[in-house]
Amino acid sequence: MSDSAYLRFFPYEEPYPNQREAMDRIANALSRGQDVLFEGAPGTGKTLSALVPALEHARENDRTVVITTNVHQQMRQFVEDARAITRSEPIRAVVFKGKSSMCHIGVDYRECQTLRDTTRSLVETESDRAELERRQQELLAESREGNDDAAAAREGVMEELDELESELQDIESTNVCERYHENLTGETDAFFEWLFDDVRTPDDVYEYADERGLCGYELLKEGMEGVDLVVCNYHHLLDPTIREQFFRWIDRDPSEIITVFDEAHNVEDAAREHATRTLTENTLESALNEIEEADDSRAEAAKNVLSAFLDALEETYEESFGFGAEGSIGDRWEDVSIENDDRRDDLTLAFLKRYEGRGIDVETELAVQLGRALEEEYDRRYREGETTTRKESQTLQAARFIATWMEEGTELGQYPVVSVRRNEATEEVYGRAELYTCIPRAVTSELFEEVASSVLMSATLRPFDVTTEVLGLEDVATLAYGMGYPEENRLTYAVDTPPLFASDRSDPEIQRTIATLLRDAIRFTPGNTLAFFPSYSEAERYHQRLQGGIDGGPAGTGMDGDDALGTLLLDRPGEDAEDVRRRLVECDDAALFTSLWGTLAEGVSFDDEDARTAIVIGVPYPHLDDRMEAVQNAYDRAFAGASRGRDPGWTYAVEVPTVRKTRQALGRVVRGPEDFGVRILADKRYTSADMGKYSVRGRFPPEESEELIDVAPEKVKFGMLNFYSDHDAYEGSPPEP
């Protein structure tokens, strides 16, 4: 391969200088079988920098590139890039989503599996009948010509046909999928021609199939064999069971796959989520009801072990309630502390105390066996049309969880948790047991080891050594490119406001200082402002404060004295990110108040006039609860030898993710070489002041730390006025300081 052979996949005239260098280095790393950690500033073309050399390597080595993200907006960008590539160098690309978003008849995975089996049996039997019918017609013709052997043979064929007719009647009375039947019996070549004529989205496939009575999901699976590129969500790679099937659909061995992870700073949390297992009180109760109806010798053992675990779960959370605590429980899961330093957790101890029987391991295994038998029976009933939906065995789910709880509850990186919440319909409180996975490399290391190579890219992937250790990577090439745009187009302040520790957030003087800084930042921004806070509640606090005036002015005016602030928008939990973004960019003088832990702090672009200023209020440490303490403790034990004098628990679990969140928020503005804007970090901990363990400036990459200018809060407006005036950004006269 020549040095620039990969450029055939580059869809534009000329790459940026950093893009060309990045593509060279990634191409070399892939040729050596290395994984790549790639950090690039927002808007610098990371996707093509990784995708172009990966596609060239795959083409030359008969491999498939799988590019993945957990950000919906980025999925659309992948499609646009793939479409641009295929117009200059044709590639066969598939964009894949989960079955639930593509099913035309609304069945779950297991029901679909059963429907596929019965439909395939129907089609095969119909095919056999057609073949026998053709044969009997041939023999009939021969017998009419006086061939006695043909007449005798025809009698045997007719008997087989009668048997097949009876079999067909039985199958036709079962549940089948008419759309999948059309896939198997109709003409589908036109679909695959259409599919690879461009890069089609799952919505495109759904619409095409829906109009023609086909199953688009199954057709898409068939079309994945040996393609050049697959675009998918994280869970297709991070869930081991799904990954195995997914690679089988692509018809590739894992060693023939190159994975490209976008927004890779999120892989840690996503892997942790995929590895975590839960069992609710409701599932246990459903399992026990299921066991009561089972006529099986194993039912008594299953009931014994599941009822003991249910009683222990109820006892554990009820004993944790202090006076009046139960009445304050809402409809969101709230953790109950059950861990003990010197022995097993409270739930396990309560389970051991309540259980009486032949042995937990023995009876749990019998419960698993019973659950499997029930699964087979449910499958048979659905397959034969006795039921219209396919049930899943709650006994199997509960028994498997209990077995895992007892086997893995003491393993490094597994944290046992009990949570409670209130059922909105019944107003009753119920519980959940959970094995929370603290160390994600138990999930990720297997993936990165089995595939040919992986490229992990993000605007906030450093420090690379932390990423390498946390995800379990081995032979790694690293490359990082800072913001290559003109430095004079951005101004970055570290403002010496009081540190916004959780215990100080209600302090009136601190609130006034923050509110005044926000007012100044919004007033002196010629356009829209993004204001990020440690939580939605803090965003709402300051949104209300500025709406009513810093000193309690007229509510809803957005004014303090005569200083108009324009439109003040508040983002709330659960709101659609694109809708919130649209509301902001439709304005030309607005401020959006949101949480750094929400959906707008990353993966959403605010180019040029969409937003000029981004301000981060406080250091957005995650909620330091028992779970976070468990993660810190697990990292302390797992990485003690690799910490090089650092506190690995605090660094890996708290500090690094927090700084990444902050850097992601700052990256929402100044998205291109002609773009300009101001970025503000408001908290003393961002400044060069020595705050001990809580100073975070040193956790920023060196070139970003050097750009931070320490400034007093009252000076910010003057700096912003000068910066935006130098860029002729104000229409008319600028605001008065």
Side-chain angles (χ1 to χ4, degrees), residues 332-351:
R332 295 190 178 189
W333 288 112
E334 300 175 25
D335 288 353
V336 171
S337 180
I338 63 169
E339 190 180 34
N340 295 302
D341 293 334
D342 56 349
R343 59 193 188 281
R344 287 293 297 263
D345 60 273
D346 290 343
L347 174 55
T348 302
L349 294 176
F351 179 40

Side-chain angles (χ1 to χ4, degrees), residues 175-245:
N175 291 307
V176 296
C177 177
E178 296 296 335
R179 289 179 174 274
Y180 187 51
H181 188 277
E182 186 64 23
N183 283 15
L184 297 175
T185 59
E187 175 56 55
T188 57
D189 289 347
F191 168 80
F192 295 110
E193 290 177 10
W194 168 84
L195 179 66
F196 294 119
D197 186 53
D198 199 349
V199 179
R200 310 296 185 180
T201 67
D203 289 342
D204 295 334
V205 173
Y206 182 94
E207 183 178 346
Y208 180 101
D210 197 55
E211 291 173 353
R212 293 161 178 82
L214 299 165
C215 175
Y217 179 75
E218 291 298 323
L219 285 173
L220 197 57
K221 282 165 55 178
E222 290 179 36
M224 289 171 64
E225 290 188 9
V227 295
D228 301 299
L229 174 67
V230 181
V231 180
C232 66
N233 296 316
Y234 273 6
H235 71 269
H236 290 106
L237 295 181
L238 294 179
D239 186 298
T241 303
I242 295 176
R243 181 170 73 242
E244 182 179 353
Q245 293 177 329

Side-chain angles (χ1 to χ4, degrees), residues 566-735:
T567 304
L568 303 181
L569 301 173
L570 177 63
D571 177 31
R572 292 183 171 86
E575 291 202 40
D576 180 74
E578 278 300 305
D579 182 60
V580 175
R581 181 189 179 281
R582 177 188 54 76
R583 285 191 284 135
L584 177 70
V585 301
E586 285 175 354
C587 305
D588 57 9
D589 186 23
L592 174 64
F593 293 64
T594 187
S595 168
L596 263 162
W597 297 97
T599 56
L600 290 166
E602 59 180 273
V604 182
S605 296
F606 296 88
D607 302 328
D608 300 312
E609 292 85 2
D610 290 350
R612 286 292 179 204
T613 298
I615 179 167
V616 175
I617 302 297
V619 178
Y621 287 124
H623 182 48
L624 301 180
D625 55 12
D626 289 345
R627 286 179 191 244
M628 185 54 62
E629 184 178 349
V631 174
Q632 291 185 65
N633 291 337
Y635 280 163
D636 279 334
R637 295 193 299 272
F639 301 124
S643 62
R644 290 179 287 281
R646 294 183 301 209
D647 176 353
W650 175 261
T651 301
Y652 294 6
V654 180
E655 195 169 54
V656 168
T658 296
V659 171
R660 283 176 178 160
K661 275 289 181 187
T662 304
R663 295 175 63 210
Q664 283 285 334
L666 291 186
R668 296 314 92 207
V669 298
V670 191
R671 305 284 297 183
E674 305 301 320
D675 201 356
F676 59 90
V678 175
R679 306 177 306 170
I680 299 170
L681 298 173
D683 193 297
K684 190 181 187 71
R685 290 168 287 183
Y686 292 117
T687 71
S688 55
D690 184 5
M691 295 287 292
K693 175 181 179 178
Y694 299 103
S695 291
V696 295
R697 187 170 186 142
R699 290 300 176 201
F700 284 76
E703 72 277 10
E704 294 181 20
S705 181
E706 290 172 5
E707 276 197 36
L708 290 173
I709 301 170
D710 289 358
V711 64
E714 64 273 13
K715 301 294 185 183
V716 169
K717 59 185 176 183
F718 297 103
M720 293 181 67
L721 175 62
N722 292 335
F723 175 84
Y724 283 124
S725 295
D726 289 344
H727 285 81
D728 297 322
Y730 295 113
E731 294 183 7
S733 300

